[in-house]
PDB file of all heavy atoms in Angstrom:
ATOM      1  N   SER A  94      45.399 182.479 -19.171  1.00  0.00           N
ATOM      2  CA  SER A  94      44.130 181.858 -19.581  1.00  0.00           C
ATOM      3  C   SER A  94      43.651 182.253 -21.021  1.00  0.00           C
ATOM      4  O   SER A  94      42.793 181.656 -21.611  1.00  0.00           O
ATOM      5  CB  SER A  94      43.030 182.123 -18.585  1.00  0.00           C
ATOM      6  OG  SER A  94      42.769 183.531 -18.648  1.00  0.00           O
ATOM      7  N   GLU A  95      44.318 183.359 -21.547  1.00  0.00           N
ATOM      8  CA  GLU A  95      43.981 183.849 -22.791  1.00  0.00           C
ATOM      9  C   GLU A  95      44.563 182.962 -23.912  1.00  0.00           C
ATOM     10  O   GLU A  95      45.680 182.404 -23.796  1.00  0.00           O
ATOM     11  CB  GLU A  95      44.544 185.291 -23.022  1.00  0.00           C
ATOM     12  CG  GLU A  95      44.014 186.268 -22.067  1.00  0.00           C
ATOM     13  CD  GLU A  95      44.583 187.597 -22.189  1.00  0.00           C
ATOM     14  OE1 GLU A  95      45.533 187.735 -23.001  1.00  0.00           O
ATOM     15  OE2 GLU A  95      44.298 188.507 -21.477  1.00  0.00           O
ATOM     16  N   GLN A  96      43.727 182.741 -24.902  1.00  0.00           N
ATOM     17  CA  GLN A  96      44.214 181.859 -26.051  1.00  0.00           C
ATOM     18  C   GLN A  96      44.215 182.615 -27.322  1.00  0.00           C
ATOM     19  O   GLN A  96      43.453 183.621 -27.417  1.00  0.00           O
ATOM     20  CB  GLN A  96      43.188 180.678 -26.179  1.00  0.00           C
ATOM     21  CG  GLN A  96      43.171 179.790 -24.868  1.00  0.00           C
ATOM     22  CD  GLN A  96      42.305 178.549 -25.102  1.00  0.00           C
ATOM     23  OE1 GLN A  96      42.488 177.848 -26.043  1.00  0.00           O
ATOM     24  NE2 GLN A  96      41.460 178.204 -24.113  1.00  0.00           N
ATOM     25  N   PRO A  97      45.058 182.175 -28.342  1.00  0.00           N
ATOM     26  CA  PRO A  97      45.929 180.978 -28.221  1.00  0.00           C
ATOM     27  C   PRO A  97      47.219 181.376 -27.487  1.00  0.00           C
ATOM     28  O   PRO A  97      47.610 182.484 -27.282  1.00  0.00           O
ATOM     29  CB  PRO A  97      46.315 180.804 -29.676  1.00  0.00           C
ATOM     30  CG  PRO A  97      46.165 182.123 -30.277  1.00  0.00           C
ATOM     31  CD  PRO A  97      45.026 182.807 -29.643  1.00  0.00           C
ATOM     32  N   LEU A  98      47.842 180.238 -26.872  1.00  0.00           N
ATOM     33  CA  LEU A  98      49.045 180.519 -26.014  1.00  0.00           C
ATOM     34  C   LEU A  98      50.246 179.959 -26.796  1.00  0.00           C
ATOM     35  O   LEU A  98      50.711 178.945 -26.213  1.00  0.00           O
ATOM     36  CB  LEU A  98      48.834 179.791 -24.762  1.00  0.00           C
ATOM     37  CG  LEU A  98      49.771 180.231 -23.591  1.00  0.00           C
ATOM     38  CD1 LEU A  98      49.583 181.694 -23.111  1.00  0.00           C
ATOM     39  CD2 LEU A  98      49.519 179.344 -22.313  1.00  0.00           C
ATOM     40  N   SER A  99      50.674 180.571 -27.720  1.00  0.00           N
ATOM     41  CA  SER A  99      51.840 180.120 -28.534  1.00  0.00           C
ATOM     42  C   SER A  99      53.013 180.665 -27.649  1.00  0.00           C
ATOM     43  O   SER A  99      53.000 181.545 -26.912  1.00  0.00           O
ATOM     44  CB  SER A  99      51.950 180.713 -29.881  1.00  0.00           C
ATOM     45  OG  SER A  99      52.056 182.071 -29.883  1.00  0.00           O
ATOM     46  N   THR A 100      54.108 180.067 -27.934  1.00  0.00           N
ATOM     47  CA  THR A 100      55.476 180.505 -27.292  1.00  0.00           C
ATOM     48  C   THR A 100      55.599 181.980 -27.475  1.00  0.00           C
ATOM     49  O   THR A 100      55.979 182.724 -26.598  1.00  0.00           O
ATOM     50  CB  THR A 100      56.563 179.711 -27.793  1.00  0.00           C
ATOM     51  OG1 THR A 100      56.441 178.291 -27.452  1.00  0.00           O
ATOM     52  CG2 THR A 100      57.881 180.145 -27.067  1.00  0.00           C
ATOM     53  N   ALA A 101      55.550 182.437 -28.714  1.00  0.00           N
ATOM     54  CA  ALA A 101      55.898 183.780 -29.172  1.00  0.00           C
ATOM     55  C   ALA A 101      54.895 184.753 -28.407  1.00  0.00           C
ATOM     56  O   ALA A 101      55.423 185.733 -27.833  1.00  0.00           O
ATOM     57  CB  ALA A 101      55.721 183.944 -30.720  1.00  0.00           C
ATOM     58  N   ASN A 102      53.665 184.557 -28.333  1.00  0.00           N
ATOM     59  CA  ASN A 102      52.685 185.467 -27.790  1.00  0.00           C
ATOM     60  C   ASN A 102      52.690 185.439 -26.259  1.00  0.00           C
ATOM     61  O   ASN A 102      52.506 186.440 -25.730  1.00  0.00           O
ATOM     62  CB  ASN A 102      51.284 185.359 -28.322  1.00  0.00           C
ATOM     63  CG  ASN A 102      50.512 184.150 -27.979  1.00  0.00           C
ATOM     64  OD1 ASN A 102      50.787 183.609 -26.859  1.00  0.00           O
ATOM     65  ND2 ASN A 102      49.722 183.646 -28.820  1.00  0.00           N
ATOM     66  N   LEU A 103      53.085 184.312 -25.748  1.00  0.00           N
ATOM     67  CA  LEU A 103      53.406 184.302 -24.246  1.00  0.00           C
ATOM     68  C   LEU A 103      54.497 185.091 -23.861  1.00  0.00           C
ATOM     69  O   LEU A 103      54.434 185.941 -22.942  1.00  0.00           O
ATOM     70  CB  LEU A 103      53.602 182.816 -23.783  1.00  0.00           C
ATOM     71  CG  LEU A 103      53.931 182.580 -22.316  1.00  0.00           C
ATOM     72  CD1 LEU A 103      52.759 183.135 -21.432  1.00  0.00           C
ATOM     73  CD2 LEU A 103      54.137 181.078 -22.045  1.00  0.00           C
ATOM     74  N   ILE A 104      55.627 185.110 -24.501  1.00  0.00           N
ATOM     75  CA  ILE A 104      56.829 185.772 -24.228  1.00  0.00           C
ATOM     76  C   ILE A 104      56.460 187.339 -24.347  1.00  0.00           C
ATOM     77  O   ILE A 104      56.784 188.163 -23.454  1.00  0.00           O
ATOM     78  CB  ILE A 104      58.010 185.463 -25.032  1.00  0.00           C
ATOM     79  CG1 ILE A 104      58.576 184.109 -24.720  1.00  0.00           C
ATOM     80  CG2 ILE A 104      59.092 186.433 -24.884  1.00  0.00           C
ATOM     81  CD1 ILE A 104      59.130 183.880 -23.388  1.00  0.00           C
ATOM     82  N   SER A 105      55.653 187.666 -25.388  1.00  0.00           N
ATOM     83  CA  SER A 105      55.329 188.983 -25.568  1.00  0.00           C
ATOM     84  C   SER A 105      54.394 189.615 -24.459  1.00  0.00           C
ATOM     85  O   SER A 105      54.590 190.694 -24.008  1.00  0.00           O
ATOM     86  CB  SER A 105      54.587 189.149 -26.919  1.00  0.00           C
ATOM     87  OG  SER A 105      54.109 190.471 -27.169  1.00  0.00           O
ATOM     88  N   ARG A 106      53.475 188.787 -24.074  1.00  0.00           N
ATOM     89  CA  ARG A 106      52.542 189.145 -22.972  1.00  0.00           C
ATOM     90  C   ARG A 106      53.377 189.305 -21.628  1.00  0.00           C
ATOM     91  O   ARG A 106      52.950 190.187 -20.835  1.00  0.00           O
ATOM     92  CB  ARG A 106      51.508 188.026 -22.799  1.00  0.00           C
ATOM     93  CG  ARG A 106      50.501 187.869 -23.944  1.00  0.00           C
ATOM     94  CD  ARG A 106      49.541 186.793 -23.630  1.00  0.00           C
ATOM     95  NE  ARG A 106      48.922 186.369 -24.830  1.00  0.00           N
ATOM     96  CZ  ARG A 106      47.981 185.308 -24.880  1.00  0.00           C
ATOM     97  NH1 ARG A 106      47.988 184.572 -23.801  1.00  0.00           N
ATOM     98  NH2 ARG A 106      47.408 184.864 -25.986  1.00  0.00           N
ATOM     99  N   LEU A 107      54.323 188.548 -21.390  1.00  0.00           N
ATOM    100  CA  LEU A 107      55.003 188.618 -20.086  1.00  0.00           C
ATOM    101  C   LEU A 107      55.896 189.832 -19.841  1.00  0.00           C
ATOM    102  O   LEU A 107      56.322 190.118 -18.816  1.00  0.00           O
ATOM    103  CB  LEU A 107      55.919 187.322 -19.918  1.00  0.00           C
ATOM    104  CG  LEU A 107      55.161 185.999 -19.748  1.00  0.00           C
ATOM    105  CD1 LEU A 107      56.162 184.786 -19.782  1.00  0.00           C
ATOM    106  CD2 LEU A 107      54.499 186.008 -18.391  1.00  0.00           C
ATOM    107  N   ARG A 108      56.171 190.565 -21.004  1.00  0.00           N
ATOM    108  CA  ARG A 108      56.979 191.681 -20.926  1.00  0.00           C
ATOM    109  C   ARG A 108      56.502 192.799 -19.965  1.00  0.00           C
ATOM    110  O   ARG A 108      57.253 193.577 -19.284  1.00  0.00           O
ATOM    111  CB  ARG A 108      57.234 192.291 -22.415  1.00  0.00           C
ATOM    112  CG  ARG A 108      58.139 191.436 -23.110  1.00  0.00           C
ATOM    113  CD  ARG A 108      58.280 191.961 -24.613  1.00  0.00           C
ATOM    114  NE  ARG A 108      59.008 191.124 -25.350  1.00  0.00           N
ATOM    115  CZ  ARG A 108      58.999 191.019 -26.767  1.00  0.00           C
ATOM    116  NH1 ARG A 108      58.251 191.809 -27.350  1.00  0.00           N
ATOM    117  NH2 ARG A 108      59.742 190.319 -27.424  1.00  0.00           N
ATOM    118  N   SER A 109      55.108 192.786 -19.745  1.00  0.00           N
ATOM    119  CA  SER A 109      54.546 193.862 -18.850  1.00  0.00           C
ATOM    120  C   SER A 109      54.334 193.338 -17.443  1.00  0.00           C
ATOM    121  O   SER A 109      53.954 194.011 -16.574  1.00  0.00           O
ATOM    122  CB  SER A 109      53.166 194.201 -19.506  1.00  0.00           C
ATOM    123  OG  SER A 109      52.326 193.092 -19.409  1.00  0.00           O
ATOM    124  N   CYS A 110      54.854 192.111 -17.132  1.00  0.00           N
ATOM    125  CA  CYS A 110      54.674 191.460 -15.824  1.00  0.00           C
ATOM    126  C   CYS A 110      56.048 191.548 -15.103  1.00  0.00           C
ATOM    127  O   CYS A 110      57.130 191.554 -15.672  1.00  0.00           O
ATOM    128  CB  CYS A 110      54.217 190.151 -15.911  1.00  0.00           C
ATOM    129  SG  CYS A 110      52.575 189.962 -16.806  1.00  0.00           S
ATOM    130  N   ASP A 111      56.011 191.480 -13.769  1.00  0.00           N
ATOM    131  CA  ASP A 111      57.174 191.408 -12.951  1.00  0.00           C
ATOM    132  C   ASP A 111      57.576 189.995 -12.709  1.00  0.00           C
ATOM    133  O   ASP A 111      57.470 189.442 -11.656  1.00  0.00           O
ATOM    134  CB  ASP A 111      56.744 192.084 -11.598  1.00  0.00           C
ATOM    135  CG  ASP A 111      58.052 192.279 -10.746  1.00  0.00           C
ATOM    136  OD1 ASP A 111      59.185 192.243 -11.321  1.00  0.00           O
ATOM    137  OD2 ASP A 111      57.850 192.434  -9.520  1.00  0.00           O
ATOM    138  N   VAL A 112      58.099 189.477 -13.743  1.00  0.00           N
ATOM    139  CA  VAL A 112      58.583 187.981 -13.836  1.00  0.00           C
ATOM    140  C   VAL A 112      59.776 187.937 -14.446  1.00  0.00           C
ATOM    141  O   VAL A 112      60.414 188.811 -15.284  1.00  0.00           O
ATOM    142  CB  VAL A 112      57.562 187.082 -14.449  1.00  0.00           C
ATOM    143  CG1 VAL A 112      56.194 187.092 -13.722  1.00  0.00           C
ATOM    144  CG2 VAL A 112      57.319 187.419 -15.947  1.00  0.00           C
ATOM    145  N   THR A 113      60.576 186.800 -14.323  1.00  0.00           N
ATOM    146  CA  THR A 113      61.838 186.480 -15.101  1.00  0.00           C
ATOM    147  C   THR A 113      61.374 185.156 -15.897  1.00  0.00           C
ATOM    148  O   THR A 113      61.191 184.156 -15.237  1.00  0.00           O
ATOM    149  CB  THR A 113      63.000 186.281 -14.161  1.00  0.00           C
ATOM    150  OG1 THR A 113      63.223 187.444 -13.475  1.00  0.00           O
ATOM    151  CG2 THR A 113      64.157 185.834 -15.054  1.00  0.00           C
ATOM    152  N   ALA A 114      61.432 185.233 -17.230  1.00  0.00           N
ATOM    153  CA  ALA A 114      61.167 184.101 -18.010  1.00  0.00           C
ATOM    154  C   ALA A 114      62.470 183.467 -18.552  1.00  0.00           C
ATOM    155  O   ALA A 114      63.267 184.117 -19.146  1.00  0.00           O
ATOM    156  CB  ALA A 114      60.287 184.524 -19.314  1.00  0.00           C
ATOM    157  N   VAL A 115      62.483 182.162 -18.546  1.00  0.00           N
ATOM    158  CA  VAL A 115      63.596 181.410 -19.031  1.00  0.00           C
ATOM    159  C   VAL A 115      63.090 180.486 -20.210  1.00  0.00           C
ATOM    160  O   VAL A 115      62.210 179.536 -19.885  1.00  0.00           O
ATOM    161  CB  VAL A 115      64.385 180.516 -17.955  1.00  0.00           C
ATOM    162  CG1 VAL A 115      65.386 179.725 -18.696  1.00  0.00           C
ATOM    163  CG2 VAL A 115      64.856 181.403 -16.941  1.00  0.00           C
ATOM    164  N   GLY A 116      63.479 180.676 -21.409  1.00  0.00           N
ATOM    165  CA  GLY A 116      63.010 179.988 -22.550  1.00  0.00           C
ATOM    166  C   GLY A 116      62.628 180.906 -23.623  1.00  0.00           C
ATOM    167  O   GLY A 116      62.902 182.132 -23.666  1.00  0.00           O
ATOM    168  N   PRO A 117      62.094 180.198 -24.794  1.00  0.00           N
ATOM    169  CA  PRO A 117      61.603 178.881 -24.839  1.00  0.00           C
ATOM    170  C   PRO A 117      62.911 177.902 -24.863  1.00  0.00           C
ATOM    171  O   PRO A 117      63.930 178.215 -25.365  1.00  0.00           O
ATOM    172  CB  PRO A 117      60.935 178.807 -26.101  1.00  0.00           C
ATOM    173  CG  PRO A 117      61.398 179.912 -26.927  1.00  0.00           C
ATOM    174  CD  PRO A 117      61.792 181.044 -25.904  1.00  0.00           C
ATOM    175  N   ALA A 118      62.707 176.707 -24.190  1.00  0.00           N
ATOM    176  CA  ALA A 118      63.776 175.780 -24.228  1.00  0.00           C
ATOM    177  C   ALA A 118      63.197 174.512 -24.999  1.00  0.00           C
ATOM    178  O   ALA A 118      62.038 174.141 -24.777  1.00  0.00           O
ATOM    179  CB  ALA A 118      64.125 175.364 -22.799  1.00  0.00           C
ATOM    180  N   LEU A 119      64.014 173.921 -25.811  1.00  0.00           N
ATOM    181  CA  LEU A 119      63.611 172.775 -26.596  1.00  0.00           C
ATOM    182  C   LEU A 119      63.995 171.509 -25.882  1.00  0.00           C
ATOM    183  O   LEU A 119      65.130 171.308 -25.465  1.00  0.00           O
ATOM    184  CB  LEU A 119      64.315 172.797 -27.943  1.00  0.00           C
ATOM    185  CG  LEU A 119      64.089 174.109 -28.794  1.00  0.00           C
ATOM    186  CD1 LEU A 119      64.733 173.859 -30.159  1.00  0.00           C
ATOM    187  CD2 LEU A 119      62.699 174.560 -28.959  1.00  0.00           C
ATOM    188  N   LEU A 120      63.043 170.566 -25.763  1.00  0.00           N
ATOM    189  CA  LEU A 120      63.239 169.283 -25.149  1.00  0.00           C
ATOM    190  C   LEU A 120      63.257 168.223 -26.231  1.00  0.00           C
ATOM    191  O   LEU A 120      62.241 168.101 -26.956  1.00  0.00           O
ATOM    192  CB  LEU A 120      62.069 168.942 -24.171  1.00  0.00           C
ATOM    193  CG  LEU A 120      62.157 169.775 -22.845  1.00  0.00           C
ATOM    194  CD1 LEU A 120      60.772 169.810 -22.213  1.00  0.00           C
ATOM    195  CD2 LEU A 120      63.123 169.081 -21.830  1.00  0.00           C
ATOM    196  N   SER A 121      64.483 167.531 -26.355  1.00  0.00           N
ATOM    197  CA  SER A 121      64.583 166.581 -27.427  1.00  0.00           C
ATOM    198  C   SER A 121      65.040 165.128 -26.709  1.00  0.00           C
ATOM    199  O   SER A 121      65.613 165.081 -25.661  1.00  0.00           O
ATOM    200  CB  SER A 121      65.623 166.973 -28.357  1.00  0.00           C
ATOM    201  OG  SER A 121      65.230 168.130 -28.980  1.00  0.00           O
ATOM    202  N   TYR A 122      64.566 164.067 -27.487  1.00  0.00           N
ATOM    203  CA  TYR A 122      64.983 162.751 -27.009  1.00  0.00           C
ATOM    204  C   TYR A 122      65.547 161.854 -28.046  1.00  0.00           C
ATOM    205  O   TYR A 122      65.242 162.062 -29.314  1.00  0.00           O
ATOM    206  CB  TYR A 122      63.642 162.061 -26.466  1.00  0.00           C
ATOM    207  CG  TYR A 122      63.062 162.780 -25.224  1.00  0.00           C
ATOM    208  CD1 TYR A 122      62.167 163.903 -25.432  1.00  0.00           C
ATOM    209  CD2 TYR A 122      63.443 162.569 -24.052  1.00  0.00           C
ATOM    210  CE1 TYR A 122      61.702 164.613 -24.470  1.00  0.00           C
ATOM    211  CE2 TYR A 122      62.955 163.221 -22.867  1.00  0.00           C
ATOM    212  CZ  TYR A 122      62.045 164.261 -23.073  1.00  0.00           C
ATOM    213  OH  TYR A 122      61.552 165.071 -22.055  1.00  0.00           O
ATOM    214  N   LEU A 123      66.344 160.862 -27.682  1.00  0.00           N
ATOM    215  CA  LEU A 123      67.122 160.003 -28.667  1.00  0.00           C
ATOM    216  C   LEU A 123      66.385 158.653 -28.434  1.00  0.00           C
ATOM    217  O   LEU A 123      66.574 157.939 -27.487  1.00  0.00           O
ATOM    218  CB  LEU A 123      68.497 159.986 -28.249  1.00  0.00           C
ATOM    219  CG  LEU A 123      69.413 159.267 -29.234  1.00  0.00           C
ATOM    220  CD1 LEU A 123      69.364 160.008 -30.623  1.00  0.00           C
ATOM    221  CD2 LEU A 123      70.844 159.304 -28.713  1.00  0.00           C
TER     222      LEU A 123
END
């Protein structure tokens, strides 16, 4: 819920949690 929630700061915050993070993954379309 903390802002801003950029990809970089989210990954940094998750390091202290008991989780497994996959990403960031880029979604592209043709």
Side-chain angles (χ1 to χ4, degrees):
S94 66
E95 297 174 2
Q96 298 187 48
L98 193 65
S99 69
T100 298
N102 66 34
L103 175 58
I104 293 294
S105 177
R106 295 174 194 175
L107 288 171
R108 288 174 183 159
S109 62
C110 302
D111 189 21
V112 299
T113 299
V115 178
L119 308 183
L120 286 157
S121 303
Y122 297 88
L123 189 63

